[in-house]
Amino acid sequence: MPASPSTARALNDRLALRLLQQEGPLTAGQLKQLTGLSRPTVADLVDRLTASGLITVVGESGEQRRGPNARLYGIVADRAHLAALDVRTEGVFVLVSDLLGRVLAEASVPIGPDAGTGPAVEQAVAAVESAAKEAAAMAAPPREGVRGWGTLHTVGIGAPGLIDPATGDLRDSAGLPAWHRSLAVTLQDRLPGARVTVENETNLAALAEQREGAARDRDTFVLLWLGHGVGAAVVLDGTLRRGASGGTGEIGFLPVPGTAALPSATDCTGGFHSLTGAAAVTSLAAECGLPTPARPDGPGAAEAVRGAVAEVEKAGEGVPVPATGPRAAVPVARPGEGEVKRPGGTGVTAGAEPDATTASASGEAGPAARAPGIDPGRSSASESESESASESGSAGTGPVARGTVARPGSGAASVPATAPGRPGCGAPPQTGPGGAPPAALPGDLPAARFLRILADRIAVGAASVVAVLDPGCVVLGGEVGQAGGAVLAGLVEERLRRMSPLVTEVRASSLGGTAVLRGALLTARDRAQDELFAPPDRMGG
């Protein structure tokens, strides 16, 4: 059935805007070439998008012949601003960007555990309002006749806990601060013109890794979040899976060997969280005789892991790491066989370009592979297109949530002792996963023993996920996953090979603790563009 003229115009407008977003400023001639549309159709959509305030002339191309086709058109980034929030148990991180994702302002506010719901929400909202005002001051002068110029259009919130799939609201979860649930409602009241949405933090981290990070070339993978708590996000065939109640990835509650008890419906103590949460990681580091941070939170555990990796790499300890590309087999360097290192180290920081290997495997299509546009009257074509409170990540209900904001003057926190029966650095050699001998050998560096035992623990939970989902790829995310880098990822992959017949690649996050904010920003940008890139009668211009 042929597309109606109005539908064709809407599809073509959005296709042109996506191209301008991905490629940067383009001439009308370049838009004609990339979309396959006729010259009159391109001229019509350029006029339409310019009148709506979404694109403008930003310069001229290097062509010698001057004329309409030599003008460079670009998206008006200040047409709308976006806010992203990473909500943690003891504070909030905020950033505000323009429509293209360029960060204009940032803010963070610590919120003490004794703060009441009202004061805590007020502090968080004030941080958002302050960042929004700072961003507005940097915006280009408002365009006459275009409403909403430079205002906060969409707010994306990443928070620990279960998101009700029916309402999209954060559900009441034991152990989570009450102000978390009140924040979105208050923001919507204080910012009536904005669209406020909430998503589980680990799910947002997975979206960020898929779009900008370690899983750019994967349609199916599992993100295993390792930070203050643990969780998982599941992406199958390019789609994030949330489950019937929004709780897919509650891996912190997974019963595992090596703990003193079983988890309950309201407490993940005794589950996978007790082996790999930040408190367990810092406790393990202490048992191995390594320097331990004062606070057993996500950044503290990451500090311990990062230090161990640096010590192992400096000493040239034999640890398994990926050899070359993303899909390469992982050779295991055993004592006496030398060391194998992964080019590129532990990944890139947030916002940095991926390395050449990642980029070549990302599968991003070039201009020739893009879907053509639709001329009115032609045949129809489809439109182109937390650790939670329980620390169980994808949507938690337990007593603690993933990250924390360091509070000025906060004292050192005690590190819980290892649970009875849990293997520690001082314990006698035990049989490893799958009946294999333990990787730590007498005489190894304490840092190497620490990383090998930590990898054994992570592999226990990862193996359960692999056995059920067979994702082919597990990304170790969160602060700890990023800090462990290729070394920890290689160790976990080697153990999974011994535990499971299903071939699974293990990668280190390239975004780490910033992934939640990046995911919240990407989600807010997508939702804003879905509305702003709509047909003219819905643009409000």
Side-chain angles (χ1 to χ4, degrees):
M1 178 179 177
S4 67
S6 61
T7 299
R9 283 194 295 271
L11 296 178
N12 292 336
D13 288 354
R14 294 185 64 171
L15 174 57
L17 287 163
R18 295 295 182 190
L19 287 171
L20 289 168
Q21 178 191 43
Q22 295 164 7
E23 306 293 336
L26 298 169
T27 66
Q30 290 169 329
L31 282 171
K32 174 181 178 297
Q33 180 182 9
L34 293 173
T35 61
L37 296 170
S38 67
R39 187 179 300 275
T41 300
V42 170
D44 183 47
L45 74 83
V46 166
D47 289 343
R48 199 163 49 244
L49 295 175
T50 301
S52 71
L54 285 173
I55 70 172
T56 190
V57 176
V58 296
E60 292 184 339
S61 71
E63 298 174 13
Q64 305 227 343
R65 184 172 66 87
R66 298 302 181 189
N69 286 352
R71 295 176 182 172
L72 281 170
Y73 295 93
I75 289 179
V76 180
D78 284 323
R79 176 67 173 79
H81 287 169
L82 318 167
L85 280 68
D86 182 358
V87 178
R88 306 191 178 194
T89 53
E90 295 187 9
V92 176
F93 292 97
V94 182
L95 66 79
V96 176
S97 82
D98 61 23
L99 193 56
L100 291 178
R102 181 171 62 98
V103 176
L104 303 174
E106 298 178 86
S108 64
V109 55
I111 297 176
D114 298 329
T117 298
V121 170
E122 183 59 36
Q123 291 180 63
V125 173
V128 176
E129 292 176 332
S130 174
K133 289 178 181 177
E134 181 182 345
M138 298 176 59
R143 177 169 177 170
E144 185 178 352
V146 179
R147 297 197 305 270
W149 190 279
T151 58
L152 203 55
H153 183 281
T154 305
V155 179
I157 302 174
L162 286 165
I163 306 298
D164 190 319
T167 65
D169 298 329
L170 189 65
R171 288 169 52 179
D172 187 3
S173 301
L176 279 177
W179 63 267
H180 282 195
R181 297 186 300 280
S182 303
L183 179 57
V185 174
T186 304
L187 278 172
Q188 190 65 81
D189 290 341
R190 296 272 283 271
L191 304 169
R195 289 76 173 158
V196 180
T197 59
V198 185
E199 177 60 274
N200 172 261
E201 57 178 0
T202 307
N203 287 342
L204 289 178
L207 293 176
E209 293 288 356
Q210 185 183 33
R211 296 268 291 274
E212 300 181 342
R216 291 181 64 184
D217 62 330
R218 289 283 184 171
D219 287 332
T220 295
F221 70 98
V222 169
L223 172 76
L224 187 60
W225 185 274
L226 303 168
H228 191 70
V230 298
V234 177
V235 177
L236 302 178
D237 299 324
T239 302
L240 180 70
R241 306 295 180 176
R242 293 178 173 83
S245 62
T248 295
E250 282 286 350
I251 197 171
F253 285 89
L254 180 71
V256 291
T259 61
L262 289 174
S264 70
T266 58
D267 189 349
C268 59
T269 300
F272 185 55
H273 164 72
S274 294
L275 286 184
T276 54
V281 173
T282 53
S283 178
L284 177 62
E287 292 170 20
C288 290
L290 301 179
T292 54
R295 295 174 59 84
D297 56 7
E303 179 185 340
V305 172
R306 190 178 298 109
V309 169
E311 186 176 346
V312 164
E313 290 180 331
K314 182 178 179 180
E317 282 285 316
V319 291
V321 296
T324 52
R327 303 177 190 274
V330 180
V332 179
R334 303 197 183 279
E337 296 180 353
E339 184 181 7
V340 180
K341 288 191 178 292
R342 176 181 183 176
T346 59
V348 296
T349 57
E353 291 296 325
D355 58 30
T357 300
T358 302
S360 65
S362 65
E364 293 188 48
R370 303 186 191 285
I374 306 173
D375 271 343
R378 291 187 183 178
S379 297
S380 172
S382 62
E383 179 178 358
S384 57
E385 278 257 63
S386 293
E387 288 104 292
S388 53
S390 66
E391 275 73 338
S392 45
S394 176
T397 55
V400 194
R402 179 179 55 73
T404 60
V405 176
R407 287 170 289 148
S410 60
S414 60
V415 180
T418 303
R422 181 186 304 167
C425 279
Q430 303 180 31
T431 299
L441 302 174
D444 278 356
L445 287 174
R449 295 199 300 273
F450 165 72
L451 290 173
R452 287 173 173 138
I453 294 172
L454 178 59
D456 283 338
R457 294 182 178 185
I458 294 171
V460 168
S464 299
V465 173
V466 167
V468 175
L469 298 176
D470 187 19
C473 179
V474 172
V475 176
L476 303 185
E479 298 97 335
V480 171
Q482 185 186 42
V487 171
L488 183 60
L491 285 165
V492 174
E493 180 169 326
E494 188 268 338
R495 276 130 179 86
L496 282 178
R497 287 187 173 188
R498 291 191 273 125
M499 297 171 69
S500 172
L502 306 177
V503 178
T504 306
E505 181 184 3
V506 180
R507 301 179 180 179
S509 162
S510 61
L511 301 177
T514 67
V516 176
L517 267 179
R518 292 302 306 167
L521 179 59
L522 290 168
T523 301
R525 190 175 73 180
D526 287 347
R527 288 171 178 165
Q529 290 175 346
D530 281 344
E531 178 172 334
L532 292 171
F533 293 3
D537 59 349
R538 289 175 49 202
M539 287 182 181

